[in-house]
Amino acid sequence: MKTTPRRLTDGALVLEPYAAEHVNDLVAAVRESVAELSPWLPWCHPNYGAKDATDWLLLCAHAVADGVNHQFAIRDASGRYAGGLGLRISDRQNRVASIGYWIRTSATRRGLATAAVRVAARFGFGELGLRRLEIFAHPDNVASRRVAERAGARFEGIARNRILMHGVSHDSALY
């Protein structure tokens, strides 16, 4: 199931494997979006800087080398950095992975997250041979839940204590 990450596209957006050149784009997008993202993404904080981004990109490189974690920068049709998407294999034997995503504030409400999830799903089911993709979102994270639904994922229920945010276990909507 190990595949080398590559650029993926649907013609309207590009998912490209994270690399060192994404540091500045990542920092700018996170800082722009702290108010909207920090309730749902504990790593997102007002002082997010180049060291945070560099550490994240190093983690991505190691995880990709293991063939378990595929992390992508999302670029819109103009080439502007719009956010990130991760596809993490959680169960190799049963070919299960989860998808997580975020979009910078100035790029929301344009369908980019939905399109990115669809592109990642094609990659997962096609090239990685996955049988199941899961999306977990805090029950109150309406935007993330709508992305899952628009991308074609089906709501399966509320998983108790499924996600840890800011040191506290929370239930999660499972798609």
Side-chain angles (χ1 to χ4, degrees):
M1 204 179 338
K2 188 169 179 177
T3 299
T4 303
R6 61 177 179 76
R7 288 172 51 102
L8 308 171
T9 187
D10 68 355
L13 65 77
V14 172
L15 300 181
E16 60 188 22
Y18 269 120
E21 64 263 16
H22 291 108
V23 169
N24 293 333
D25 286 338
L26 184 54
V27 170
V30 170
R31 285 187 177 171
E32 167 192 316
S33 308
V34 168
E36 294 78 17
L37 297 177
S38 63
W40 318 117
L41 300 172
W43 54 264
C44 182
H45 57 85
N47 297 319
Y48 192 92
K51 182 174 180 351
D52 297 298
T54 301
D55 289 348
W56 166 247
L57 295 171
L58 286 172
L59 280 172
C60 290
H62 291 297
V64 167
D66 291 342
V68 173
N69 202 338
H70 302 273
Q71 296 290 331
F72 297 96
I74 302 171
R75 293 206 181 271
D76 65 15
S78 72
R80 181 174 183 243
Y81 179 84
L85 179 140
L87 187 150
R88 186 182 61 78
I89 298 169
S90 55
D91 183 342
R92 286 181 192 241
Q93 179 178 344
N94 292 303
R95 299 182 184 180
V96 178
S98 61
I99 293 180
Y101 42 86
W102 65 276
I103 298 292
R104 74 186 306 157
T105 300
S106 62
T108 60
R109 301 186 185 277
R110 295 178 13 208
L112 292 171
T114 301
V117 169
R118 288 179 180 150
V119 169
R122 280 195 301 276
F123 170 69
F125 289 126
E127 292 184 40
L128 298 179
L130 298 173
R131 297 290 175 236
R132 179 178 171 87
L133 285 172
E134 299 174 331
I135 296 173
F136 294 95
H138 189 285
D140 296 336
N141 188 343
V142 175
S144 191
R145 294 184 70 177
R146 295 304 164 255
V147 166
E149 292 163 2
R150 285 192 303 268
R154 288 183 293 223
F155 177 70
E156 292 187 354
I158 300 294
R160 293 182 42 87
N161 296 317
R162 179 57 181 86
I163 52 178
L164 185 66
M165 293 187 327
H166 307 288
V168 177
S169 291
H170 293 270
D171 294 348
S172 178
L174 168 61
Y175 290 86

